[in-house]
Amino acid sequence: MGMKSNSKKMMMLLLAAIMVFSLAACSGGNNNTKNESANNTPENTPSSTETVTPPSADEPGWKSDTAPITFDWYLNFAWFPNKWGVDPTSQYVTKKTGVDINFIVPAGNENEKLNTLIASGKLPDFITLGWWEDGVKKMIEGDLVLPLNKLAEEYDPYFFKVSDSDKLNWYTQEDGNVYGYPNSSSSPKDYEQFGDTYVSNQTFVVRKDIYEAIGSPDMRTPEGFLNALKAAKEKFPQIDGQPMIPLGLHEFTATGNDSLEQYIQNFLAIPREKDGKLYNRETDPEYVRWLKTLRQANQDGLLAKDIFIDKRAQMEEKIVQGRYFAMLYQRTDFGAQLGTLYQKDPDKIYIAVDGPANTNLDAPTLNGPGISGWTVTLISKDVKDKARAIKFLSYLNSEEGQRDLFLGEKGVSYDTIDGVDQFLPEVFDLMNTDRAAFDKQYGSSFTFWMMQNTNITQQWAPKAVEPYKQLEDWTIGKTVSNSEFDLIDPLANSDEGIILGKIKDLRGKTLPKLLMASSEAEFDKIFNDYIKKQEELGLDKVMAFQQTKYEENKKKLGM
């Protein structure tokens, strides 16, 4: 139930989706008042208040109509396994609001399915997809989705009260309208309030028992890193009769490798900009030094062939077998496997340790939640009931909706225990041992994450438990907001987008070659060719486009 990492940008979002295994995003902090007062700004109030009994900005609109209605809701995530109405939480929401949901999830390639829907010109009532997807712009430009602000003004001004004005402003298009609202979104203002509790998904982990057996070495320097991989392989050549894999990475895709791009660049604290100009992190000497370290690891027989071909499903199998010694990997992507390992033997689990660092041994700058969030949800022009759709979206955005989808129904998945609303012990236990079973049996803790707002729900979030807590805690204080670098890429079919597509394809082909180079001289040749080819393809045009967007973002965020 984790998330596919098939896009370079995906990490930023996934960071925000820290609730997938229901481990508390953060602890403490009370976010009740923020959404009530700060966001009811004058420009957000409906203009015509003279009409006959106008909808109220103070009263939840959904209460005015709870007749049964079923909405079709498209989720652009083939891995999403749950159905609405199977579990008590979704049943409770339907009983309360009258809204039933029929999820439509692609069976195979998400983009093919989404493009087919867009080409047909007819969309399901609600659409949820990653904010970085081209489909967002295609739907807006093709007039296939409705402005949420207009729907709210006409049918449910309460929407403005329960939505964050910073997030509405961030997603306002050139025509002055907002078509999508994000989940798991944290603005720079949210950082001021909750920043010291934010966690990242980006971790460097080692198998605890093996790491301790080789003397818990420091792996921050190239030498320490190579020596540790070597010692681990020598001491544990096999795991349960199968070859040990010294280092695990995210999968190599047609466009690159998450671990070898943002992850390692963030671990090395490589800046994204210098003096207000976007910086090409790939050319940084610290980055090149570590790619050369991995080339050396391969030459020394410390990179298994598996890592160049395995997809996420194969990795999950090998993680459950404990076959990796170290991994530069997204912790929520192996949460379920980690839980299984912990049940078997709490000593043979993966723990986060300080990984690759720059020459100064600076702390990493890991992706924290950003203002773009993880997904955006839009309402189709073909929606079967405009009023009910925006009212339901407001309900989901409100503290009440957040509470219902996070805690579930009182007495079923949570209760007031010791004066605190919290999950029942047996519910929390199932959540941490078998998430798939939990989703079907209870359906709370954001089984349905389309509009999750962890800044609101952290007041009820249980403290993380082991083995997840150690990984989460390791990232606290190392996360940074990268909101201003979101949404800067050109559309895929634009001139700059076509260039960027070619550069990404080139990167996808080059990264494995660099690691497999037979000597440092061969590495240098491949790398210099790569940088030169990028320039020939028109990298400067892409950078100029991104620079403009980056400067617009800074203005939007008041930086």
Side-chain angles (χ1 to χ4, degrees):
M1 226 156 349
M3 301 158 182
K4 289 193 172 144
S5 283
N6 44 7
S7 128
K8 179 166 184 202
K9 286 281 146 60
M10 184 105 183
M11 273 161 273
M12 285 159 135
L13 337 158
L14 295 187
L15 290 180
I18 36 194
M19 309 293 299
V20 161
F21 291 99
S22 283
L23 307 173
C26 348
S27 52
N30 197 321
N31 203 20
N32 292 7
T33 49
K34 181 176 76 102
N35 288 341
E36 298 305 328
S37 55
N39 305 316
N40 206 5
T41 51
E43 67 269 22
N44 282 342
T45 40
S47 47
S48 61
T49 41
E50 290 79 42
T51 49
V52 218
T53 58
S56 159
D58 298 315
E59 272 306 301
W62 66 266
K63 291 186 171 171
S64 62
D65 185 355
T66 57
I69 186 169
T70 302
F71 283 119
D72 293 323
W73 196 313
Y74 176 76
L75 295 175
N76 200 39
F77 298 89
W79 53 260
F80 184 76
N82 299 301
K83 299 221 177 327
W84 187 269
V86 171
D87 60 278
T89 299
S90 56
Q91 290 165 3
Y92 170 63
V93 171
T94 296
K95 193 172 71 191
K96 182 181 202 172
T97 63
V99 175
D100 200 349
I101 294 172
N102 168 43
F103 283 121
I104 300 167
V105 177
N109 182 311
E110 286 100 346
N111 284 341
E112 279 170 25
K113 173 76 174 170
L114 187 62
N115 286 334
T116 306
L117 279 174
I118 292 172
S120 78
K122 192 139 176 57
L123 296 175
D125 303 302
F126 288 90
I127 306 101
T128 295
L129 68 169
W131 62 256
W132 65 96
E133 302 276 3
D134 252 21
V136 180
K137 277 226 168 79
K138 280 186 193 157
M139 288 187 286
I140 294 171
E141 287 172 4
D143 287 326
L144 297 175
V145 285
L146 298 172
L148 301 180
N149 49 306
K150 295 261 170 77
L151 289 173
E153 279 163 18
E154 192 169 345
Y155 303 107
D156 188 25
Y158 185 67
F159 175 80
F160 295 116
K161 184 164 187 171
V162 294
S163 303
D164 185 322
S165 55
D166 284 346
K167 287 155 203 177
L168 290 173
N169 180 39
W170 177 250
Y171 275 110
T172 296
Q173 302 296 312
E174 278 154 23
D175 64 5
N177 291 322
V178 182
Y179 296 88
Y181 196 83
N183 75 352
S184 301
S185 158
S186 291
S187 68
K189 257 192 209 121
D190 290 330
Y191 267 79
E192 288 166 25
Q193 200 174 346
F194 308 107
D196 54 353
T197 61
Y198 281 155
V199 293
S200 173
N201 264 4
Q202 300 178 334
T203 47
F204 178 69
V205 300
V206 290
R207 199 174 117 172
K208 184 174 185 281
D209 55 333
I210 299 179
Y211 183 66
E212 286 167 1
I214 61 169
S216 306
D218 183 344
M219 296 180 73
R220 293 177 300 168
T221 64
E223 305 71 47
F225 184 84
L226 290 170
N227 289 337
L229 294 186
K230 201 166 161 200
K233 191 183 175 188
E234 279 169 8
K235 207 160 189 169
F236 300 89
Q238 296 205 315
I239 306 288
D240 296 334
Q242 304 203 67
M244 191 258 261
I245 305 168
L247 180 66
L249 303 169
H250 277 276
E251 64 187 68
F252 283 84
T253 70
T255 56
N257 183 306
D258 291 342
S259 300
L260 299 180
E261 294 171 62
Q262 276 204 49
Y263 272 53
I264 195 148
Q265 290 164 0
N266 291 350
F267 267 79
L268 304 178
I270 297 172
R272 289 165 188 266
E273 56 84 31
K274 288 188 172 182
D275 303 320
K277 289 274 172 275
L278 289 176
Y279 177 54
N280 184 359
R281 300 170 97 194
E282 280 190 309
T283 57
D284 194 274
E286 297 283 355
Y287 179 61
V288 176
R289 174 176 175 240
W290 272 93
L291 283 184
K292 286 186 171 181
T293 303
L294 292 172
R295 187 214 69 80
Q296 186 65 51
N298 189 56
Q299 187 180 313
D300 298 345
L302 301 171
L303 296 187
K305 292 281 171 279
D306 317 43
I307 70 173
F308 293 101
I309 49 177
D310 282 351
K311 296 277 171 246
R312 176 159 162 191
Q314 286 80 42
M315 280 203 72
E316 287 177 356
E317 280 167 34
K318 290 170 185 177
I319 292 170
V320 160
Q321 297 162 352
R323 282 182 62 192
Y324 298 98
F325 161 56
M327 294 188 285
L328 188 58
Y329 206 63
Q330 176 161 299
R331 64 185 173 79
T332 52
D333 271 14
F334 67 98
Q337 291 73 39
L338 186 62
T340 306
L341 288 170
Y342 189 66
Q343 299 300 313
K344 281 196 289 200
D345 184 343
D347 216 34
K348 292 182 177 174
I349 57 165
Y350 289 95
I351 55 167
V353 295
D354 292 338
N358 62 29
T359 318
N360 296 334
L361 301 180
D362 294 320
T365 51
L366 307 176
N367 289 346
I371 194 163
S372 296
W374 164 35
T375 66
V376 287
T377 292
L378 308 95
I379 294 176
S380 147
K381 70 165 172 40
D382 303 309
V383 66
K384 55 176 73 82
D385 186 328
K386 292 178 186 175
R388 291 294 293 279
I390 190 70
K391 287 171 181 179
F392 189 60
L393 204 61
S394 299
Y395 158 74
L396 293 174
N397 259 355
S398 71
E399 183 152 330
E400 181 178 6
Q402 293 291 318
R403 182 191 185 100
D404 291 346
L405 283 174
F406 186 75
L407 287 175
E409 186 174 7
K410 190 162 189 174
V412 180
S413 60
Y414 87 98
D415 221 326
T416 310
I417 306 166
D418 304 326
V420 181
D421 287 345
Q422 53 182 296
F423 291 110
L424 294 161
E426 66 274 18
V427 176
F428 187 53
D429 189 49
L430 184 64
M431 191 194 299
N432 287 304
T433 51
D434 189 344
R435 179 69 208 208
F438 167 88
D439 285 341
K440 287 176 181 54
Q441 210 172 314
Y442 296 105
S444 49
S445 183
F446 285 131
T447 294
F448 306 102
W449 38 254
M450 302 90 73
M451 301 308 293
Q452 70 179 9
N453 180 343
T454 49
N455 293 322
I456 293 181
T457 57
Q458 66 165 1
Q459 57 186 305
W460 309 298
K463 299 275 183 284
V465 294
E466 295 306 355
Y468 317 99
K469 182 180 185 320
Q470 189 273 339
L471 275 68
E472 231 173 74
D473 287 352
W474 182 85
T475 70
I476 293 175
K478 299 180 178 81
T479 64
V480 294
S481 168
N482 288 311
S483 290
E484 65 272 30
F485 304 102
D486 285 359
L487 294 170
I488 63 172
D489 281 354
L491 258 178
N493 58 1
S494 65
D495 292 349
E496 295 87 355
I498 290 164
I499 296 169
L500 183 58
K502 288 177 181 165
I503 288 172
K504 285 180 175 174
D505 290 342
L506 180 65
R507 181 180 300 146
K509 291 188 180 82
T510 306
L511 281 172
K513 286 183 191 161
L514 289 169
L515 267 48
M516 292 176 178
S518 57
S519 64
E520 195 166 322
E522 195 196 345
F523 176 102
D524 287 338
K525 186 184 177 312
I526 296 168
F527 190 79
N528 294 334
D529 281 353
Y530 168 58
I531 297 299
K532 199 164 126 235
K533 270 195 195 125
Q534 282 189 334
E535 284 164 11
E536 285 164 7
L537 284 169
L539 177 67
D540 58 335
K541 286 195 185 74
V542 176
M543 298 277 288
F545 179 94
Q546 292 172 327
Q547 182 68 30
T548 305
K549 287 287 184 201
Y550 161 64
E551 286 167 16
E552 285 169 14
N553 283 351
K554 288 209 295 189
K555 274 203 194 77
K556 263 189 177 179
L557 293 166
M559 292 172 75

